Coordinates of all heavy atoms in Angstrom, one line a residue:
K52 N 71.9 103.8 65.4 CA 73.2 103.2 65.5 C 74.2 104.2 66.2 O 75.1 103.7 67.0 CB 73.8 102.8 64.1 CG 73.1 101.5 63.6 CD 73.7 101.1 62.3 CE 73.0 99.8 61.8 NZ 73.6 99.3 60.6
L53 N 74.1 105.4 65.8 CA 75.0 106.4 66.5 C 74.7 106.5 68.0 O 75.6 106.6 68.8 CB 74.8 107.8 65.8 CG 75.2 108.0 64.4 CD1 74.8 109.3 63.8 CD2 76.7 107.8 64.3
W54 N 73.5 106.5 68.3 CA 73.1 106.6 69.7 C 73.6 105.3 70.5 O 74.2 105.4 71.5 CB 71.6 106.7 69.8 CG 71.1 106.8 71.3 CD1 71.3 107.8 72.2 CD2 70.3 105.8 71.9 NE1 70.7 107.5 73.4 CE2 70.1 106.3 73.2 CE3 69.8 104.6 71.6 CZ2 69.4 105.6 74.2 CZ3 69.0 103.9 72.5 CH2 68.9 104.4 73.8
K55 N 73.3 104.1 69.9 CA 73.7 102.9 70.6 C 75.2 102.7 70.7 O 75.7 102.1 71.7 CB 73.1 101.7 69.8 CG 71.6 101.5 70.1 CD 71.2 100.2 69.4 CE 69.7 99.9 69.7 NZ 69.3 98.7 69.0
N56 N 75.9 103.2 69.7 CA 77.4 103.0 69.7 C 78.2 104.2 70.1 O 79.4 104.2 70.0 CB 77.8 102.5 68.3 CG 77.2 101.2 68.0 OD1 77.3 100.3 68.7 ND2 76.5 101.2 66.8
S57 N 77.5 105.3 70.7 CA 78.2 106.5 71.0 C 79.2 106.2 72.1 O 80.3 106.9 72.2 CB 77.2 107.6 71.5 OG 76.5 107.1 72.6
D58 N 79.0 105.2 73.0 CA 80.0 104.9 74.0 C 81.2 104.2 73.5 O 82.2 104.2 74.1 CB 79.3 104.1 75.1 CG 78.8 102.8 74.6 OD1 78.3 102.7 73.5 OD2 78.8 101.8 75.4
K59 N 81.1 103.6 72.3 CA 82.2 102.9 71.7 C 83.1 103.8 70.8 O 84.2 103.4 70.4 CB 81.7 101.8 70.8 CG 80.9 100.7 71.6 CD 80.4 99.7 70.6 CE 79.5 98.7 71.4 NZ 78.8 97.8 70.5
Y60 N 82.6 105.0 70.5 CA 83.3 105.9 69.7 C 84.6 106.4 70.4 O 84.5 106.9 71.6 CB 82.5 107.2 69.3 CG 83.3 108.3 68.6 CD1 83.8 108.1 67.4 CD2 83.6 109.5 69.3 CE1 84.5 109.1 66.7 CE2 84.3 110.5 68.7 CZ 84.8 110.3 67.4 OH 85.5 111.2 66.8
E61 N 85.7 106.3 69.8 CA 87.0 106.7 70.3 C 87.5 107.9 69.5 O 87.5 107.8 68.3 CB 88.0 105.6 70.3 CG 87.6 104.4 71.2 CD 88.6 103.2 71.0 OE1 89.7 103.4 70.4 OE2 88.3 102.1 71.5
E62 N 88.0 108.9 70.1 CA 88.3 110.1 69.4 C 89.7 110.0 68.7 O 90.6 110.8 69.0 CB 88.3 111.3 70.3 CG 86.9 111.6 70.7 CD 86.7 113.0 71.3 OE1 87.5 113.9 70.9 OE2 85.9 113.2 72.2
R63 N 89.8 109.0 67.8 CA 91.1 108.8 67.1 C 91.0 109.6 65.8 O 91.9 110.1 65.3 CB 91.3 107.4 66.7 CG 91.9 106.6 67.9 CD 92.3 105.2 67.5 NE 91.2 104.3 67.9 CZ 90.9 103.2 67.4 NH1 91.5 102.8 66.3 NH2 89.9 102.5 67.9
G64 N 89.8 109.7 65.2 CA 89.5 110.5 64.0 C 88.5 111.5 64.3 O 88.1 111.7 65.4
S65 N 88.0 112.2 63.3 CA 87.0 113.2 63.5 C 85.6 112.5 63.7 O 85.4 111.4 63.1 CB 86.9 114.1 62.3 OG 86.3 113.5 61.2
L66 N 84.8 113.2 64.4 CA 83.4 112.7 64.6 C 82.6 112.5 63.3 O 81.9 111.6 63.1 CB 82.7 113.6 65.6 CG 81.3 113.2 66.0 CD1 81.3 111.9 66.7 CD2 80.6 114.3 66.8
K67 N 82.9 113.5 62.4 CA 82.2 113.5 61.1 C 82.5 112.3 60.3 O 81.7 111.7 59.7 CB 82.5 114.8 60.4 CG 81.8 114.9 59.1 CD 82.0 116.3 58.4 CE 81.2 116.5 57.2 NZ 81.3 117.8 56.7
S68 N 83.8 111.8 60.4 CA 84.2 110.6 59.7 C 83.5 109.4 60.2 O 83.1 108.5 59.4 CB 85.7 110.4 59.8 OG 86.4 111.5 59.2
W69 N 83.4 109.4 61.5 CA 82.7 108.2 62.1 C 81.2 108.2 61.7 O 80.7 107.2 61.3 CB 82.8 108.3 63.7 CG 82.1 107.2 64.4 CD1 82.4 105.9 64.4 CD2 81.0 107.4 65.3 NE1 81.5 105.2 65.2 CE2 80.7 106.1 65.8 CE3 80.3 108.5 65.8 CZ2 79.7 105.9 66.7 CZ3 79.3 108.3 66.7 CH2 79.0 107.0 67.1

Side-chain angles (χ1 to χ4, degrees):
K52 286 183 178 188
L53 291 173
W54 179 69
K55 283 184 175 179
N56 296 307
S57 61
D58 59 327
K59 296 177 186 172
Y60 171 69
E61 297 174 12
E62 293 196 30
R63 281 188 259 152
S65 75
L66 180 64
K67 186 173 184 173
S68 298
W69 179 63

